[in-house]
Amino acid sequence: MRITRVELRTIALPLVAPFQTSLGTEYDKQALLVHVVTDDTYGWGECVASPEPVYSSEYLAGARDVITSFLLPALFAAPDVRAVDVARLLGHISGHRMAKAALEMAVLDAELRQSGVSLARHLGGVVDRVPSGVSVGIMDSLPELLDAVGGYLDQGYVRVKLKIEPGWDVDVVDAVRERFGDIALQVDANAAYTLADAHQLAKLDRYDLLLVEQPLAADDLRQHAELAHRLRTPICLDESVTSARSAADAISIGACRIINIKAGRVGGYLEAARIHDLARANGVAVWCGGMVETGLGRAANIALASLPGFSLPGDVSGSDRFFDEDITAPIRLRDGYVDVPTAAGTGAAPLDEVLERRTVGRHVVARPPGAPSREVSRR
């Protein structure tokens, strides 16, 4: 495919409730949407970078700048671009995996739309629906948290993930187990602990959790391996796994028994599928994490979660978990599951009227025939 122009849209969607983690509190969702137009088709991608560099070093404005200034010129320079080529064409730019993933997603969506193939089929999905879990942030009080968990269970979510941090961990898990019994339950620390907290984290073993996610710093693979010897609860890595190579390193030293795969974090859905294949070959469970995506990213995540190695429920909740109004047709939870999209591409596209109303920035870059890429409009 020959890319003729790319439109970057920044949108803002109010959240139905503030989402608080150990990294901060989000009151609305700001997202960067990537619209790739070729001679024959188009595709949509979503960049999952946050407005501030708290989850990773990437952030929204930086992603927009690196796409415009460095990544798009590399794609425009190629006479023909396929999704499988994107990582190679952008490989000379260090890092910026979330920005690269957004471009690859848009190119892949365009390619699959043109061929009439769904993303799930292209990646090797084997089911037509996937179980849906929900992530519950840190709240002001235990009663508030228990009410929230109860509400999500009433909606049908089959797994609950609790955000934890020092001072908000064992007592919280104990209260949830006491109130709700033997539900599928896991915790996510977002790297809030150190190995010195091993004794405290070991207290979680009594609660039969599915996993404890990313307890230590992202670059502490060896200390995760040491912690794994001290806990019965399986350790799941999130921020530590940024590629198939880092996943292989983590598996080889016993730093995890489970991996949370987020396509944006690892550079795209094709790399995410490679991590899935690697983990499955080594007996490591995987599940699909979320980054408060709009319906664009959520539909693609659901397609990814349909692969056979995704044996644990992922953070693929319905649209109403976060938004009263999504940028796409809403994704619905049915009996604890969400349907895998079957339409060509990711199976989702923005609704024109909603897109226009929620757009807070628009930036179009085009490549005239025979000339380098150049910016043609900005507002």
Side-chain angles (χ1 to χ4, degrees), residues 83-106:
V84 72
D85 300 322
V86 171
R88 174 181 57 81
L89 292 172
L90 304 182
H92 64 291
I93 302 298
S94 179
H96 298 284
R97 291 181 176 88
M98 293 177 182
K100 293 175 180 178
L103 279 173
E104 183 193 85
M105 177 182 170

Side-chain angles (χ1 to χ4, degrees), residues 185-249:
L185 185 64
Q186 63 194 55
V187 296
D188 180 10
N190 284 120
Y193 296 83
T194 71
L195 193 57
D197 299 307
H199 178 71
Q200 178 71 4
L201 291 169
K203 295 177 183 178
L204 295 171
D205 285 341
R206 72 186 75 158
Y207 296 104
D208 193 27
L209 300 176
L210 294 174
L211 57 91
V212 55
E213 182 181 350
Q214 197 67 46
L216 310 179
D219 58 355
D220 276 350
L221 282 186
R222 291 194 177 276
Q223 293 196 30
H224 274 105
E226 172 62 28
L227 182 63
H229 290 301
R230 304 190 194 185
L231 303 183
R232 292 196 308 273
T233 305
I235 287 179
C236 169
L237 291 182
D238 176 357
E239 291 95 330
S240 292
V241 175
T242 57
S243 64
R245 177 180 294 180
S246 61
D249 288 343

Side-chain angles (χ1 to χ4, degrees), residues 23-373:
L23 301 176
T25 302
E26 297 182 16
Y27 296 93
D28 61 13
K29 169 65 179 179
Q30 296 182 45
L32 179 65
L33 307 184
V34 179
H35 187 214
V36 165
V37 179
T38 75
D39 290 326
D40 304 305
T41 187
Y42 67 90
W44 285 96
E46 177 176 349
C47 182
V48 297
S50 300
E52 298 177 352
V54 289
Y55 174 79
S56 78
S57 60
E58 293 188 69
Y59 63 102
L60 208 63
R64 184 171 55 245
D65 181 65
V66 78
I67 288 172
T68 302
S69 300
F70 301 102
L71 302 185
L72 285 182
L75 293 188
F76 285 150
D80 183 67
V81 176
R82 299 173 302 160
V84 72
D85 300 322
V86 171
R88 174 181 57 81
L89 292 172
L90 304 182
H92 64 291
I93 302 298
S94 179
H96 298 284
R97 291 181 176 88
M98 293 177 182
K100 293 175 180 178
L103 279 173
E104 183 193 85
M105 177 182 170
V107 171
L108 183 56
D109 184 42
E111 185 178 306
L112 295 177
R113 285 175 185 272
Q114 188 173 41
S115 62
V117 175
S118 72
L119 178 59
R121 178 182 169 191
H122 178 75
L123 295 178
V126 295
V127 296
D128 58 10
R129 62 178 194 156
V130 298
S132 181
V134 66
S135 178
V136 184
I138 294 167
M139 296 187 175
D140 292 333
S141 69
L142 273 176
E144 182 183 2
L145 177 87
L146 294 173
D147 287 345
V149 171
Y152 293 128
L153 293 174
D154 289 343
Q155 293 175 40
Y157 287 102
V158 300
R159 184 271 287 154
V160 172
K161 178 172 79 173
L162 304 175
K163 296 288 187 177
I164 62 170
E165 64 182 7
W168 182 269
D169 45 36
V170 176
D171 289 345
V172 174
V173 173
D174 184 78
V176 171
R177 273 283 184 245
E178 176 69 22
R179 171 76 66 89
F180 302 107
D182 191 27
I183 62 170
L185 185 64
Q186 63 194 55
V187 296
D188 180 10
N190 284 120
Y193 296 83
T194 71
L195 193 57
D197 299 307
H199 178 71
Q200 178 71 4
L201 291 169
K203 295 177 183 178
L204 295 171
D205 285 341
R206 72 186 75 158
Y207 296 104
D208 193 27
L209 300 176
L210 294 174
L211 57 91
V212 55
E213 182 181 350
Q214 197 67 46
L216 310 179
D219 58 355
D220 276 350
L221 282 186
R222 291 194 177 276
Q223 293 196 30
H224 274 105
E226 172 62 28
L227 182 63
H229 290 301
R230 304 190 194 185
L231 303 183
R232 292 196 308 273
T233 305
I235 287 179
C236 169
L237 291 182
D238 176 357
E239 291 95 330
S240 292
V241 175
T242 57
S243 64
R245 177 180 294 180
S246 61
D249 288 343
I251 293 169
S252 69
I253 65 172
C256 65
R257 288 155 55 188
I258 301 170
I259 294 175
N260 171 4
I261 301 181
K262 294 177 179 173
R265 190 191 68 235
V266 304
Y269 286 91
L270 301 183
E271 184 73 0
R274 283 188 281 270
I275 294 172
H276 160 273
D277 295 345
L278 171 71
R280 192 177 182 213
N282 286 275
V284 171
V286 299
W287 58 282
C288 184
M291 297 283 287
V292 196
E293 291 92 345
T294 72
L296 283 177
R298 198 168 298 265
N301 288 349
I302 294 168
L304 178 66
S306 71
L307 272 64
F310 284 85
S311 56
L312 295 171
D315 290 338
V316 286
S317 55
S319 294
D320 60 359
R321 163 67 180 94
F322 294 112
F323 312 117
D324 285 326
E325 178 184 58
D326 205 339
I327 201 75
T328 67
I331 293 169
R332 305 291 190 189
L333 183 71
R334 294 190 302 111
D335 300 322
Y337 286 74
V338 289
D339 293 332
V340 176
T342 58
T346 64
L351 301 170
D352 290 341
E353 188 273 331
V354 180
L355 179 63
E356 290 301 325
R357 183 156 36 85
R358 297 301 184 185
T359 295
V360 296
R362 182 171 175 266
H363 186 181
V364 179
V365 181
R367 181 187 64 187
S373 62

